Amino acid sequence: LSKCLIASKKRTEMSTRTNTLMECSLNPNLSYNCDRPYPNCTSSLGFQFSSLWTISQLINSSCPQDWRLYDPQTATLSEAACEQIAGTSWTIYPGADIWARLTTWKFPLFQLVAIFPKPPLSFWVEAFVIFHLLGNPVSSIQDLLLKFTNCQNRAEYWEGRLRSLRLLLEDPEPRPRYGNMTRKWKALAIITDSYDEWGQDKGEAAITFLQDRLQVIVTVPMTLASDAVTDGEKRDLLAICQKTGNALAADRTTKFFPVIVAQGFFIGTVAIAVGRTESAAEIPNPSTYINIEAHSIAFTALYFWIIPAVVLASVIGASQTENSIPRILQRFQTDIENAFPKWTISLPNIHLTKDDVEGRPDAALRERSGGIYSWQPMQSRNANFHRPIHTVNRVADPPQGFVRKVFYSLIELLHFQRGSPVLALIIVAAGTLTGFLISYLIPPIGFECRHLGEILIYEAWLLNAALDYISWGEYHRSRFWFTFAKDFLTAAATMGGIIATQVGVFNRCSCYTLWGKTGLALPEISRVAGTLVHRIATVYPAIAFLCVSFELVVFPALIAVQYPHAIRVFLQRDDNASNMHFWHAILDDWFHKDGPFYRRGARAVWKGTRQGMKRTTDTVLRRRTSTTRRSSSSVALLPNPT
C-alpha cells in the first residue's frame, strides 16, 4: 500500500510539473471505462465535499480498479488523488457557514468571558484580567484558588481565636455556627483579606494588631495601665470590626444571577445546536455537515474551563470602585483611633492614590500584590509553601457525614492541597481531553491533524503558566507588563487558532485521510454518514455534557468542600443575615430539632410500627370477641331438644 501511495504521489507531482491538468468535469452524463478512465484533473472549487463526492463516484463508475481509489467498495479517494484534484492547501468555508458556527459554538463562551468579574482599578487592569484569563487559564484558576486559600486560612485562624471569647461575645444562639461569633470571625476575615490586596505583609500586620487588642497579646512591655484591654474595649473593637466588615461585604459585588443566566444560555445553545445538526443531517442533501459541526464542538470543549473560572470569580466578587476598599479601611483606622485614643494604632497605611506608593514612582502596589484576584504574583507557586504566618494551632476535626468523607477522600486521593496547581491543571485538561476524544471519534477515526491544533493550544497554555515561575524581585515594576504581554500574545495565538479552525484551515485532504492511512472520509459515504448520524445523537453530546457537568458541578463542589469558610466570608451580607437561611432552616429541622433527621425518622417509623401493631391487635381482639358473642347468641336461640 505504501508503494502504491508513493507511486501515486510521484504521478501527481509529474502532472503538476507539466501543468497539463484540466478542470474536473462534474457532468454525470459523460461515460468512461477502464480503457478511457475519468481523466486526471484539478478542481477550482478546492476541497469541497460535494464536488469530491461527485468526482469519486465518476471515477468508481468508470473503472473500480482505478489507482486513484483507496477502497473501490466505498468509492473513497486516496490522499494522492484528493491532493491532485483539490490541491495540497486548505479551502475556506463559505462565509455564511463560518458566521453560523461562530455564533453557535464560540460567542456563548465569549459572553461568559465578558461577565467575568474584574476589579475596577484601571482600564489596563480590566484588559489584563481578560487577556490573563484567555491566555493563561491554568494560572488564572490557580490564583483564584490561592485567593480562596488565603481567605480560608484567615477565616480558620479567626474562628479558632474567637473561641476563647465566646462568653465575651454573649452569643444568644445555642449553636455558635450561625450566631454572633460567626458574624465576628467573618468580619475579621474579610478585613484582613482586604489588607492582603496590598500584600500579605499588610494582612499579617493587621492580624498582629487585632489579636494583640482582642487577646491582650502584648509584643512590647506594658508601661501604662491603659495598655491593658478590658472586656468592654474588646466588645467595642469587635463592634467596629463588625461595622467595617459589613461595609466591605456591601462593597463587594457577588452577583450570581447574570452568571447563571449566561451559563444557562451557553448550555442551552449547545443543546439546541446539537439537535438542529441532528435534524439537518436527516435530509437527503444536508447543508450542515455533521463532521464539521462535531469538530466545532470539540474545539469549543477546549474552553469549558471558563465555566468554573467564572463561578470562582463570581464568588469572590469585585469592589464597586477603585477607592472603595481604601476608604473603608481608612475609616476603620479612624474609628479605632477615635474610640481608643490612648492606643498605639499599628494598622497598615493604605494609600488612595497609585502615585509614589512607598517610594516607588508610578507603582501600582495593589495591582502587583494581590488586588487582581485572578493574578496573585506575591503568592507562592509552591503548594506546600502557602501557609500564612497566623494559622490555627489545633488538630483538624475529622470530616463528619458520608458525603463529606467521600469528598475529602477524593481530595486526598488527588492530592488537592490548598494552593496546589493540580486542580487547576485538571480543570483545564478536562476540556482538552473532551475535545481530543470527540475529534478522535469523528470519521476517519484516529489521530488526525485537528489533534495537533488542540495539543498546540493546550501546550501554549502550559508554557505560559510555566513562565509564571520566573523569579522576580519583590514588587518588580516590569512584572505586570511582562505578564500582560505574554498573556496577550498567547490569547491572540490561541484565539486566532480557534478562529482559523472555523475558517477552514483543516479543510484539506490530509485531515480527512489521516495523512494517507485511510481513504477520504466524505460525509456522503453511507458508512461515514451512518456513524455520524448515530454519534451526533448519542456519543458526541454525551461526552460534551459529561465534561460540562464536571466543570459546572463536580469541580465547584470539590472547591466548596475544601474552602467552606472562604465562601462564607466572600458571600456574607451587610445586614448580619445568612444567605442560606432556608438551608439553615432545613438543618435546624433535620439535625438540631430533637436530634438528627435519621434518628427522628427511625423513632417515627418505630412509633408508627408500634401503633400499627397495636391497631392490628385491637382489631383482631374485637373480631374474636364479636365472633364469640354471635356464637353464644346463636346457641341460645336454638330450640331445646328435650
Side-chain angles (χ1 to χ4, degrees), residues 93-107 502-503:
Y93 293 128
D97 294 346
I98 296 173
W99 179 252
R101 294 187 188 107
L102 286 176
T103 55
T104 301
W105 306 108
K106 301 303 181 290
F107 286 177
Q502 300 301 307
V503 172

Side-chain angles (χ1 to χ4, degrees), residues 132-133 136-143 421 424-425 428 458 461-462 465:
H132 188 61
L133 178 66
N136 197 350
V138 176
S139 178
S140 296
I141 297 175
Q142 182 189 358
D143 287 346
L425 288 170
V428 178
Y458 186 64
W461 289 337
L462 293 182

Side-chain angles (χ1 to χ4, degrees), residues 332-343:
F332 172 60
Q333 184 171 351
T334 302
D335 292 343
I336 295 178
E337 291 174 350
N338 295 334
F340 311 103
K342 296 182 179 181
W343 283 10

